[in-house]
mmCIF file of all heavy atoms in Angstrom:
data_model
loop_
_atom_site.group_PDB
_atom_site.id
_atom_site.type_symbol
_atom_site.label_atom_id
_atom_site.label_comp_id
_atom_site.label_asym_id
_atom_site.label_seq_id
_atom_site.Cartn_x
_atom_site.Cartn_y
_atom_site.Cartn_z
ATOM 1 N N LEU A 1 -70.313 66.625 -137.413
ATOM 2 C CA LEU A 1 -70.828 66.426 -135.938
ATOM 3 C C LEU A 1 -71.182 67.612 -135.342
ATOM 4 O O LEU A 1 -72.186 67.755 -134.648
ATOM 5 C CB LEU A 1 -69.729 65.755 -135.197
ATOM 6 C CG LEU A 1 -69.387 64.260 -135.582
ATOM 7 C CD1 LEU A 1 -68.233 63.742 -134.690
ATOM 8 C CD2 LEU A 1 -70.622 63.444 -135.512
ATOM 9 N N GLU A 2 -70.516 68.756 -135.655
ATOM 10 C CA GLU A 2 -70.911 70.051 -135.047
ATOM 11 C C GLU A 2 -72.325 70.565 -135.751
ATOM 12 O O GLU A 2 -73.106 71.095 -134.934
ATOM 13 C CB GLU A 2 -69.813 71.101 -135.465
ATOM 14 C CG GLU A 2 -70.035 72.473 -134.699
ATOM 15 C CD GLU A 2 -70.052 72.419 -133.158
ATOM 16 O OE1 GLU A 2 -69.358 71.426 -132.649
ATOM 17 O OE2 GLU A 2 -70.641 73.163 -132.501
ATOM 18 N N GLY A 3 -72.444 70.301 -137.023
ATOM 19 C CA GLY A 3 -73.678 70.574 -137.732
ATOM 20 C C GLY A 3 -74.848 69.751 -137.012
ATOM 21 O O GLY A 3 -75.872 70.274 -136.919
ATOM 22 N N LEU A 4 -74.653 68.553 -136.800
ATOM 23 C CA LEU A 4 -75.555 67.661 -136.087
ATOM 24 C C LEU A 4 -75.896 68.241 -134.709
ATOM 25 O O LEU A 4 -77.189 68.232 -134.345
ATOM 26 C CB LEU A 4 -75.102 66.227 -135.931
ATOM 27 C CG LEU A 4 -75.045 65.420 -137.189
ATOM 28 C CD1 LEU A 4 -74.523 64.044 -136.993
ATOM 29 C CD2 LEU A 4 -76.396 65.328 -137.920
ATOM 30 N N ASP A 5 -74.939 68.547 -133.982
ATOM 31 C CA ASP A 5 -75.184 69.128 -132.710
ATOM 32 C C ASP A 5 -75.993 70.459 -132.609
ATOM 33 O O ASP A 5 -76.837 70.764 -131.864
ATOM 34 C CB ASP A 5 -73.922 69.402 -131.809
ATOM 35 C CG ASP A 5 -73.321 68.199 -131.305
ATOM 36 O OD1 ASP A 5 -74.044 67.130 -131.155
ATOM 37 O OD2 ASP A 5 -72.049 68.103 -130.994
ATOM 38 N N LEU A 6 -75.724 71.258 -133.698
ATOM 39 C CA LEU A 6 -76.374 72.562 -133.727
ATOM 40 C C LEU A 6 -77.800 72.443 -134.400
ATOM 41 O O LEU A 6 -78.672 73.239 -133.888
ATOM 42 C CB LEU A 6 -75.593 73.601 -134.524
ATOM 43 C CG LEU A 6 -74.268 73.984 -133.934
ATOM 44 C CD1 LEU A 6 -73.515 74.886 -135.003
ATOM 45 C CD2 LEU A 6 -74.459 74.775 -132.578
ATOM 46 N N ALA A 7 -77.986 71.573 -135.230
ATOM 47 C CA ALA A 7 -79.182 71.556 -135.991
ATOM 48 C C ALA A 7 -80.094 70.364 -135.754
ATOM 49 O O ALA A 7 -81.301 70.437 -135.415
ATOM 50 C CB ALA A 7 -79.046 71.792 -137.507
ATOM 51 N N LEU A 8 -79.539 69.121 -135.997
ATOM 52 C CA LEU A 8 -80.464 67.987 -136.084
ATOM 53 C C LEU A 8 -80.864 67.413 -134.596
ATOM 54 O O LEU A 8 -81.981 67.168 -134.388
ATOM 55 C CB LEU A 8 -79.759 66.856 -136.884
ATOM 56 C CG LEU A 8 -80.782 65.755 -137.312
ATOM 57 C CD1 LEU A 8 -81.824 66.361 -138.149
ATOM 58 C CD2 LEU A 8 -79.928 64.827 -138.180
ATOM 59 N N PHE A 9 -79.833 67.352 -133.695
ATOM 60 C CA PHE A 9 -80.140 66.839 -132.443
ATOM 61 C C PHE A 9 -81.062 67.641 -131.603
ATOM 62 O O PHE A 9 -82.048 67.140 -130.975
ATOM 63 C CB PHE A 9 -78.819 66.608 -131.621
ATOM 64 C CG PHE A 9 -77.968 65.457 -132.228
ATOM 65 C CD1 PHE A 9 -76.560 65.631 -132.010
ATOM 66 C CD2 PHE A 9 -78.455 64.515 -132.936
ATOM 67 C CE1 PHE A 9 -75.849 64.605 -132.453
ATOM 68 C CE2 PHE A 9 -77.613 63.507 -133.374
ATOM 69 C CZ PHE A 9 -76.312 63.600 -133.201
ATOM 70 N N PRO A 10 -81.033 69.102 -131.585
ATOM 71 C CA PRO A 10 -82.073 69.783 -130.919
ATOM 72 C C PRO A 10 -83.430 69.655 -131.534
ATOM 73 O O PRO A 10 -84.404 69.602 -130.817
ATOM 74 C CB PRO A 10 -81.522 71.208 -131.026
ATOM 75 C CG PRO A 10 -80.150 71.159 -131.281
ATOM 76 C CD PRO A 10 -79.934 69.840 -132.093
ATOM 77 N N LEU A 11 -83.428 69.554 -132.821
ATOM 78 C CA LEU A 11 -84.700 69.272 -133.472
ATOM 79 C C LEU A 11 -85.436 67.952 -133.009
ATOM 80 O O LEU A 11 -86.584 67.818 -132.726
ATOM 81 C CB LEU A 11 -84.607 69.373 -135.026
ATOM 82 C CG LEU A 11 -85.891 69.096 -135.752
ATOM 83 C CD1 LEU A 11 -86.864 70.300 -135.513
ATOM 84 C CD2 LEU A 11 -85.478 69.118 -137.274
ATOM 85 N N GLY A 12 -84.476 66.857 -132.917
ATOM 86 C CA GLY A 12 -85.045 65.618 -132.558
ATOM 87 C C GLY A 12 -85.533 65.582 -131.108
ATOM 88 O O GLY A 12 -86.568 65.021 -130.781
ATOM 89 N N SER A 13 -84.757 66.326 -130.271
ATOM 90 C CA SER A 13 -85.133 66.329 -128.877
ATOM 91 C C SER A 13 -86.378 67.216 -128.659
ATOM 92 O O SER A 13 -87.260 66.830 -127.908
ATOM 93 C CB SER A 13 -84.102 67.122 -128.012
ATOM 94 O OG SER A 13 -82.773 66.395 -128.093
ATOM 95 N N LEU A 14 -86.611 68.241 -129.448
ATOM 96 C CA LEU A 14 -87.841 69.050 -129.419
ATOM 97 C C LEU A 14 -89.058 68.140 -129.939
ATOM 98 O O LEU A 14 -90.149 68.132 -129.249
ATOM 99 C CB LEU A 14 -87.711 70.311 -130.247
ATOM 100 C CG LEU A 14 -88.924 71.255 -130.360
ATOM 101 C CD1 LEU A 14 -89.166 71.764 -128.963
ATOM 102 C CD2 LEU A 14 -88.706 72.317 -131.455
ATOM 103 N N MET A 15 -88.794 67.404 -130.911
ATOM 104 C CA MET A 15 -89.869 66.571 -131.449
ATOM 105 C C MET A 15 -90.265 65.513 -130.511
ATOM 106 O O MET A 15 -91.396 65.167 -130.159
ATOM 107 C CB MET A 15 -89.589 66.070 -132.710
ATOM 108 C CG MET A 15 -89.564 66.946 -133.933
ATOM 109 S SD MET A 15 -89.075 66.207 -135.517
ATOM 110 C CE MET A 15 -90.564 65.303 -135.902
ATOM 111 N N ALA A 16 -89.232 64.863 -129.843
ATOM 112 C CA ALA A 16 -89.531 63.933 -128.834
ATOM 113 C C ALA A 16 -90.309 64.415 -127.589
ATOM 114 O O ALA A 16 -91.196 63.832 -127.119
ATOM 115 C CB ALA A 16 -88.153 63.245 -128.365
ATOM 116 N N GLU A 17 -89.778 65.640 -127.103
ATOM 117 C CA GLU A 17 -90.606 66.300 -126.160
ATOM 118 C C GLU A 17 -91.981 66.519 -126.478
ATOM 119 O O GLU A 17 -92.959 66.353 -125.733
ATOM 120 C CB GLU A 17 -89.907 67.538 -125.698
ATOM 121 C CG GLU A 17 -88.631 67.250 -124.897
ATOM 122 C CD GLU A 17 -87.923 68.705 -124.642
ATOM 123 O OE1 GLU A 17 -88.484 69.777 -124.690
ATOM 124 O OE2 GLU A 17 -86.717 68.533 -124.437
ATOM 125 N N GLN A 18 -92.274 67.095 -127.680
ATOM 126 C CA GLN A 18 -93.643 67.321 -128.076
ATOM 127 C C GLN A 18 -94.521 66.131 -128.268
ATOM 128 O O GLN A 18 -95.616 66.130 -127.974
ATOM 129 C CB GLN A 18 -93.603 68.198 -129.382
ATOM 130 C CG GLN A 18 -93.058 69.596 -129.215
ATOM 131 C CD GLN A 18 -92.914 70.438 -130.547
ATOM 132 O OE1 GLN A 18 -93.083 69.819 -131.585
ATOM 133 N NE2 GLN A 18 -92.769 71.633 -130.411
ATOM 134 N N LEU A 19 -93.875 65.108 -128.790
ATOM 135 C CA LEU A 19 -94.748 63.812 -128.973
ATOM 136 C C LEU A 19 -95.131 63.115 -127.664
ATOM 137 O O LEU A 19 -95.875 62.210 -127.715
ATOM 138 C CB LEU A 19 -93.951 62.917 -129.876
ATOM 139 C CG LEU A 19 -94.000 63.316 -131.416
ATOM 140 C CD1 LEU A 19 -93.021 62.330 -132.185
ATOM 141 C CD2 LEU A 19 -95.382 63.197 -131.991
ATOM 142 N N THR A 20 -94.413 63.471 -126.617
ATOM 143 C CA THR A 20 -94.622 62.701 -125.390
ATOM 144 C C THR A 20 -95.236 63.689 -124.247
ATOM 145 O O THR A 20 -95.275 63.246 -123.042
ATOM 146 C CB THR A 20 -93.355 62.114 -124.801
ATOM 147 O OG1 THR A 20 -92.296 63.116 -124.764
ATOM 148 C CG2 THR A 20 -92.888 61.031 -125.825
ATOM 149 N N THR A 21 -95.574 64.866 -124.577
ATOM 150 C CA THR A 21 -96.224 65.685 -123.540
ATOM 151 C C THR A 21 -97.533 65.103 -123.185
ATOM 152 O O THR A 21 -98.193 64.396 -124.043
ATOM 153 C CB THR A 21 -96.413 67.070 -123.996
ATOM 154 O OG1 THR A 21 -97.231 67.238 -125.137
ATOM 155 C CG2 THR A 21 -95.134 67.877 -124.378
ATOM 156 N N PHE A 22 -97.912 65.410 -121.924
ATOM 157 C CA PHE A 22 -99.261 64.869 -121.432
ATOM 158 C C PHE A 22 -100.423 65.428 -122.220
ATOM 159 O O PHE A 22 -101.422 64.685 -122.562
ATOM 160 C CB PHE A 22 -99.496 65.229 -119.944
ATOM 161 C CG PHE A 22 -98.413 64.506 -119.070
ATOM 162 C CD1 PHE A 22 -97.517 65.189 -118.427
ATOM 163 C CD2 PHE A 22 -98.504 63.145 -119.001
ATOM 164 C CE1 PHE A 22 -96.537 64.594 -117.624
ATOM 165 C CE2 PHE A 22 -97.570 62.472 -118.153
ATOM 166 C CZ PHE A 22 -96.567 63.223 -117.475
ATOM 167 N N GLU A 23 -100.220 66.750 -122.695
ATOM 168 C CA GLU A 23 -101.408 67.272 -123.513
ATOM 169 C C GLU A 23 -101.569 66.611 -124.742
ATOM 170 O O GLU A 23 -102.620 66.254 -125.204
ATOM 171 C CB GLU A 23 -101.216 68.760 -123.641
ATOM 172 C CG GLU A 23 -101.119 69.619 -122.457
ATOM 173 C CD GLU A 23 -99.833 69.629 -121.728
ATOM 174 O OE1 GLU A 23 -98.725 69.400 -122.309
ATOM 175 O OE2 GLU A 23 -99.930 69.921 -120.552
ATOM 176 N N PHE A 24 -100.473 66.224 -125.420
ATOM 177 C CA PHE A 24 -100.477 65.550 -126.822
ATOM 178 C C PHE A 24 -101.028 64.123 -126.588
ATOM 179 O O PHE A 24 -101.681 63.681 -127.466
ATOM 180 C CB PHE A 24 -99.032 65.546 -127.381
ATOM 181 C CG PHE A 24 -99.106 65.094 -128.707
ATOM 182 C CD1 PHE A 24 -99.571 65.814 -129.746
ATOM 183 C CD2 PHE A 24 -98.676 63.735 -128.966
ATOM 184 C CE1 PHE A 24 -99.412 65.379 -131.155
ATOM 185 C CE2 PHE A 24 -98.589 63.229 -130.305
ATOM 186 C CZ PHE A 24 -99.009 64.058 -131.380
ATOM 187 N N LEU A 25 -100.540 63.410 -125.492
ATOM 188 C CA LEU A 25 -101.051 62.083 -125.296
ATOM 189 C C LEU A 25 -102.408 61.944 -124.892
ATOM 190 O O LEU A 25 -102.962 60.866 -124.699
ATOM 191 C CB LEU A 25 -100.154 61.386 -124.355
ATOM 192 C CG LEU A 25 -98.726 61.246 -124.575
ATOM 193 C CD1 LEU A 25 -97.806 60.741 -123.604
ATOM 194 C CD2 LEU A 25 -98.586 60.287 -125.929
ATOM 195 N N GLY A 26 -103.055 63.197 -124.514
ATOM 196 C CA GLY A 26 -104.484 63.072 -124.001
ATOM 197 C C GLY A 26 -104.658 62.665 -122.500
ATOM 198 O O GLY A 26 -105.763 62.265 -122.152
ATOM 199 N N VAL A 27 -103.681 63.010 -121.756
ATOM 200 C CA VAL A 27 -103.661 62.618 -120.407
ATOM 201 C C VAL A 27 -103.985 63.982 -119.611
ATOM 202 O O VAL A 27 -103.412 65.085 -119.911
ATOM 203 C CB VAL A 27 -102.302 62.052 -119.948
ATOM 204 C CG1 VAL A 27 -102.362 61.811 -118.439
ATOM 205 C CG2 VAL A 27 -102.065 60.826 -120.718
ATOM 206 N N ASN A 28 -104.895 63.893 -118.627
ATOM 207 C CA ASN A 28 -105.236 64.957 -117.949
ATOM 208 C C ASN A 28 -104.366 65.550 -116.865
ATOM 209 O O ASN A 28 -104.155 66.745 -116.731
ATOM 210 C CB ASN A 28 -106.617 64.732 -117.265
ATOM 211 C CG ASN A 28 -107.716 64.514 -118.315
ATOM 212 O OD1 ASN A 28 -107.743 65.066 -119.396
ATOM 213 N ND2 ASN A 28 -108.578 63.663 -118.011
ATOM 214 N N SER A 29 -103.630 64.577 -116.201
ATOM 215 C CA SER A 29 -102.641 65.009 -115.184
ATOM 216 C C SER A 29 -101.513 64.088 -115.247
ATOM 217 O O SER A 29 -101.456 63.109 -115.735
ATOM 218 C CB SER A 29 -103.333 64.785 -113.737
ATOM 219 O OG SER A 29 -103.494 63.453 -113.490
ATOM 220 N N PRO A 30 -100.372 64.661 -114.720
ATOM 221 C CA PRO A 30 -99.113 63.881 -114.769
ATOM 222 C C PRO A 30 -99.101 62.554 -113.898
ATOM 223 O O PRO A 30 -98.343 61.715 -114.128
ATOM 224 C CB PRO A 30 -98.012 64.890 -114.146
ATOM 225 C CG PRO A 30 -98.632 66.229 -114.381
ATOM 226 C CD PRO A 30 -100.153 66.012 -114.359
ATOM 227 N N ASP A 31 -100.110 62.545 -112.907
ATOM 228 C CA ASP A 31 -100.199 61.400 -112.094
ATOM 229 C C ASP A 31 -100.839 60.234 -112.761
ATOM 230 O O ASP A 31 -100.851 59.122 -112.386
ATOM 231 C CB ASP A 31 -100.846 61.700 -110.761
ATOM 232 C CG ASP A 31 -99.972 62.820 -110.008
ATOM 233 O OD1 ASP A 31 -98.773 62.768 -110.052
ATOM 234 O OD2 ASP A 31 -100.789 63.606 -109.365
ATOM 235 N N GLU A 32 -101.600 60.514 -113.756
ATOM 236 C CA GLU A 32 -102.415 59.430 -114.554
ATOM 237 C C GLU A 32 -101.479 58.528 -115.270
ATOM 238 O O GLU A 32 -100.468 58.934 -115.883
ATOM 239 C CB GLU A 32 -103.434 60.100 -115.517
ATOM 240 C CG GLU A 32 -104.383 59.193 -116.095
ATOM 241 C CD GLU A 32 -105.337 60.040 -117.003
ATOM 242 O OE1 GLU A 32 -105.536 61.120 -116.815
ATOM 243 O OE2 GLU A 32 -105.866 59.338 -117.841
ATOM 244 N N VAL A 33 -101.788 57.238 -115.186
ATOM 245 C CA VAL A 33 -101.041 56.308 -115.893
ATOM 246 C C VAL A 33 -101.228 56.259 -117.474
ATOM 247 O O VAL A 33 -102.540 56.348 -117.827
ATOM 248 C CB VAL A 33 -101.384 54.792 -115.316
ATOM 249 C CG1 VAL A 33 -100.661 53.753 -116.157
ATOM 250 C CG2 VAL A 33 -101.096 54.679 -113.812
ATOM 251 N N VAL A 34 -100.225 56.290 -118.160
ATOM 252 C CA VAL A 34 -100.448 56.390 -119.670
ATOM 253 C C VAL A 34 -100.259 54.998 -120.246
ATOM 254 O O VAL A 34 -99.351 54.285 -119.958
ATOM 255 C CB VAL A 34 -99.303 57.419 -120.157
ATOM 256 C CG1 VAL A 34 -99.491 57.437 -121.658
ATOM 257 C CG2 VAL A 34 -99.371 58.691 -119.426
ATOM 258 N N SER A 35 -101.221 54.664 -121.045
ATOM 259 C CA SER A 35 -101.172 53.348 -121.678
ATOM 260 C C SER A 35 -100.226 53.388 -122.873
ATOM 261 O O SER A 35 -99.999 54.431 -123.470
ATOM 262 C CB SER A 35 -102.573 53.103 -122.180
ATOM 263 O OG SER A 35 -102.615 51.954 -123.144
ATOM 264 N N TRP A 36 -99.742 52.240 -123.216
ATOM 265 C CA TRP A 36 -98.691 52.211 -124.333
ATOM 266 C C TRP A 36 -99.347 52.562 -125.673
ATOM 267 O O TRP A 36 -98.823 53.009 -126.449
ATOM 268 C CB TRP A 36 -98.118 50.739 -124.436
ATOM 269 C CG TRP A 36 -99.104 49.666 -124.733
ATOM 270 C CD1 TRP A 36 -99.800 49.029 -123.820
ATOM 271 C CD2 TRP A 36 -99.529 49.232 -125.962
ATOM 272 N NE1 TRP A 36 -100.589 47.998 -124.424
ATOM 273 C CE2 TRP A 36 -100.472 48.168 -125.811
ATOM 274 C CE3 TRP A 36 -99.143 49.587 -127.285
ATOM 275 C CZ2 TRP A 36 -101.062 47.459 -126.874
ATOM 276 C CZ3 TRP A 36 -99.796 48.892 -128.398
ATOM 277 C CH2 TRP A 36 -100.754 47.858 -128.142
ATOM 278 N N GLN A 37 -100.677 52.393 -125.716
ATOM 279 C CA GLN A 37 -101.452 52.808 -126.987
ATOM 280 C C GLN A 37 -101.418 54.297 -127.297
ATOM 281 O O GLN A 37 -101.521 54.702 -128.317
ATOM 282 C CB GLN A 37 -102.908 52.203 -126.895
ATOM 283 C CG GLN A 37 -102.986 50.804 -126.985
ATOM 284 C CD GLN A 37 -103.393 50.217 -125.656
ATOM 285 O OE1 GLN A 37 -103.151 50.795 -124.609
ATOM 286 N NE2 GLN A 37 -103.895 48.955 -125.690
ATOM 287 N N ALA A 38 -101.224 55.001 -126.185
ATOM 288 C CA ALA A 38 -101.278 56.536 -126.321
ATOM 289 C C ALA A 38 -100.110 57.026 -127.055
ATOM 290 O O ALA A 38 -100.122 58.170 -127.614
ATOM 291 C CB ALA A 38 -101.415 57.182 -124.993
ATOM 292 N N TYR A 39 -99.081 56.237 -127.152
ATOM 293 C CA TYR A 39 -97.834 56.645 -127.950
ATOM 294 C C TYR A 39 -97.701 56.301 -129.394
ATOM 295 O O TYR A 39 -96.713 56.179 -130.003
ATOM 296 C CB TYR A 39 -96.675 56.048 -127.192
ATOM 297 C CG TYR A 39 -96.385 56.618 -125.784
ATOM 298 C CD1 TYR A 39 -96.845 55.879 -124.644
ATOM 299 C CD2 TYR A 39 -95.568 57.734 -125.635
ATOM 300 C CE1 TYR A 39 -96.648 56.427 -123.495
ATOM 301 C CE2 TYR A 39 -95.333 58.290 -124.451
ATOM 302 C CZ TYR A 39 -95.850 57.622 -123.269
ATOM 303 O OH TYR A 39 -95.678 58.079 -122.048
ATOM 304 N N TYR A 40 -98.992 56.092 -130.047
ATOM 305 C CA TYR A 40 -98.976 55.610 -131.293
ATOM 306 C C TYR A 40 -98.340 56.584 -132.440
ATOM 307 O O TYR A 40 -97.759 56.176 -133.276
ATOM 308 C CB TYR A 40 -100.503 55.372 -131.772
ATOM 309 C CG TYR A 40 -101.421 56.561 -131.885
ATOM 310 C CD1 TYR A 40 -101.478 57.224 -133.071
ATOM 311 C CD2 TYR A 40 -102.074 56.952 -130.833
ATOM 312 C CE1 TYR A 40 -102.280 58.357 -133.208
ATOM 313 C CE2 TYR A 40 -102.954 58.039 -130.933
ATOM 314 C CZ TYR A 40 -103.046 58.722 -132.038
ATOM 315 O OH TYR A 40 -103.843 59.799 -132.303
ATOM 316 N N TRP A 41 -98.307 57.901 -132.095
ATOM 317 C CA TRP A 41 -97.680 58.766 -132.865
ATOM 318 C C TRP A 41 -96.019 58.624 -132.848
ATOM 319 O O TRP A 41 -95.376 58.823 -133.815
ATOM 320 C CB TRP A 41 -97.917 60.324 -132.635
ATOM 321 C CG TRP A 41 -99.198 60.604 -133.245
ATOM 322 C CD1 TRP A 41 -100.403 61.011 -132.580
ATOM 323 C CD2 TRP A 41 -99.509 60.823 -134.634
ATOM 324 N NE1 TRP A 41 -101.343 61.307 -133.578
ATOM 325 C CE2 TRP A 41 -100.847 61.174 -134.734
ATOM 326 C CE3 TRP A 41 -98.781 60.668 -135.775
ATOM 327 C CZ2 TRP A 41 -101.456 61.434 -135.995
ATOM 328 C CZ3 TRP A 41 -99.361 60.925 -136.918
ATOM 329 C CH2 TRP A 41 -100.658 61.302 -137.108
ATOM 330 N N VAL A 42 -95.592 58.169 -131.667
ATOM 331 C CA VAL A 42 -94.145 57.988 -131.538
ATOM 332 C C VAL A 42 -93.807 56.701 -132.357
ATOM 333 O O VAL A 42 -92.803 56.721 -132.989
ATOM 334 C CB VAL A 42 -93.824 57.783 -130.136
ATOM 335 C CG1 VAL A 42 -92.415 57.400 -129.813
ATOM 336 C CG2 VAL A 42 -94.146 59.052 -129.226
ATOM 337 N N TYR A 43 -94.624 55.687 -132.280
ATOM 338 C CA TYR A 43 -94.349 54.536 -133.113
ATOM 339 C C TYR A 43 -94.417 54.837 -134.590
ATOM 340 O O TYR A 43 -93.423 54.392 -135.363
ATOM 341 C CB TYR A 43 -95.390 53.321 -132.867
ATOM 342 C CG TYR A 43 -95.551 53.031 -131.471
ATOM 343 C CD1 TYR A 43 -96.867 52.893 -130.929
ATOM 344 C CD2 TYR A 43 -94.486 52.962 -130.541
ATOM 345 C CE1 TYR A 43 -97.078 52.518 -129.621
ATOM 346 C CE2 TYR A 43 -94.691 52.738 -129.192
ATOM 347 C CZ TYR A 43 -96.003 52.401 -128.674
ATOM 348 O OH TYR A 43 -96.227 52.174 -127.379
ATOM 349 N N ILE A 44 -95.472 55.588 -135.065
ATOM 350 C CA ILE A 44 -95.464 55.969 -136.444
ATOM 351 C C ILE A 44 -94.275 56.848 -136.932
ATOM 352 O O ILE A 44 -93.669 56.691 -137.857
ATOM 353 C CB ILE A 44 -96.817 56.801 -136.703
ATOM 354 C CG1 ILE A 44 -97.951 55.841 -136.581
ATOM 355 C CG2 ILE A 44 -96.720 57.461 -138.085
ATOM 356 C CD1 ILE A 44 -99.265 56.516 -136.568
ATOM 357 N N PHE A 45 -93.857 57.797 -135.965
ATOM 358 C CA PHE A 45 -92.804 58.573 -136.179
ATOM 359 C C PHE A 45 -91.375 57.783 -136.463
ATOM 360 O O PHE A 45 -90.626 57.818 -137.397
ATOM 361 C CB PHE A 45 -92.503 59.696 -135.271
ATOM 362 C CG PHE A 45 -91.328 60.569 -135.437
ATOM 363 C CD1 PHE A 45 -91.343 61.579 -136.372
ATOM 364 C CD2 PHE A 45 -90.127 60.437 -134.563
ATOM 365 C CE1 PHE A 45 -90.221 62.390 -136.653
ATOM 366 C CE2 PHE A 45 -89.098 61.257 -134.798
ATOM 367 C CZ PHE A 45 -89.085 62.233 -135.707
ATOM 368 N N ALA A 46 -91.251 56.795 -135.474
ATOM 369 C CA ALA A 46 -90.082 55.968 -135.469
ATOM 370 C C ALA A 46 -90.037 55.075 -136.749
ATOM 371 O O ALA A 46 -89.036 54.951 -137.396
ATOM 372 C CB ALA A 46 -90.044 55.009 -134.293
ATOM 373 N N ALA A 47 -91.098 54.484 -137.174
ATOM 374 C CA ALA A 47 -91.304 53.659 -138.364
ATOM 375 C C ALA A 47 -90.981 54.483 -139.557
ATOM 376 O O ALA A 47 -90.264 54.015 -140.524
ATOM 377 C CB ALA A 47 -92.598 52.978 -138.405
ATOM 378 N N SER A 48 -91.623 55.713 -139.622
ATOM 379 C CA SER A 48 -91.213 56.486 -140.810
ATOM 380 C C SER A 48 -89.877 56.974 -140.948
ATOM 381 O O SER A 48 -89.285 56.975 -142.045
ATOM 382 C CB SER A 48 -92.282 57.684 -140.871
ATOM 383 O OG SER A 48 -92.015 58.590 -139.803
#
């Protein structure tokens, strides 16, 4: 569990943050509504 806390969980959090940033999703501003289709990389990542 300590190894998971030190290595795997931070990596997963970093990947989740990167896959959901506005720049990655192709959104111009944080106020813009994001369509569910924009998260297709998140769906592909979860499935894989």
Side-chain angles (χ1 to χ4, degrees):
L1 291 176
E2 189 63 28
L4 287 177
D5 281 341
L6 291 174
L8 199 57
F9 292 155
L11 180 65
S13 296
L14 180 64
M15 289 180 73
E17 287 174 21
Q18 290 175 346
L19 286 173
T20 56
T21 60
F22 293 114
E23 296 83 24
F24 187 78
L25 294 174
V27 178
N28 298 328
S29 71
D31 298 329
E32 189 177 335
V33 176
V34 181
S35 170
W36 63 268
Q37 290 103 340
Y39 290 93
Y40 67 92
W41 279 112
V42 175
Y43 308 138
I44 292 169
F45 180 70
S48 61

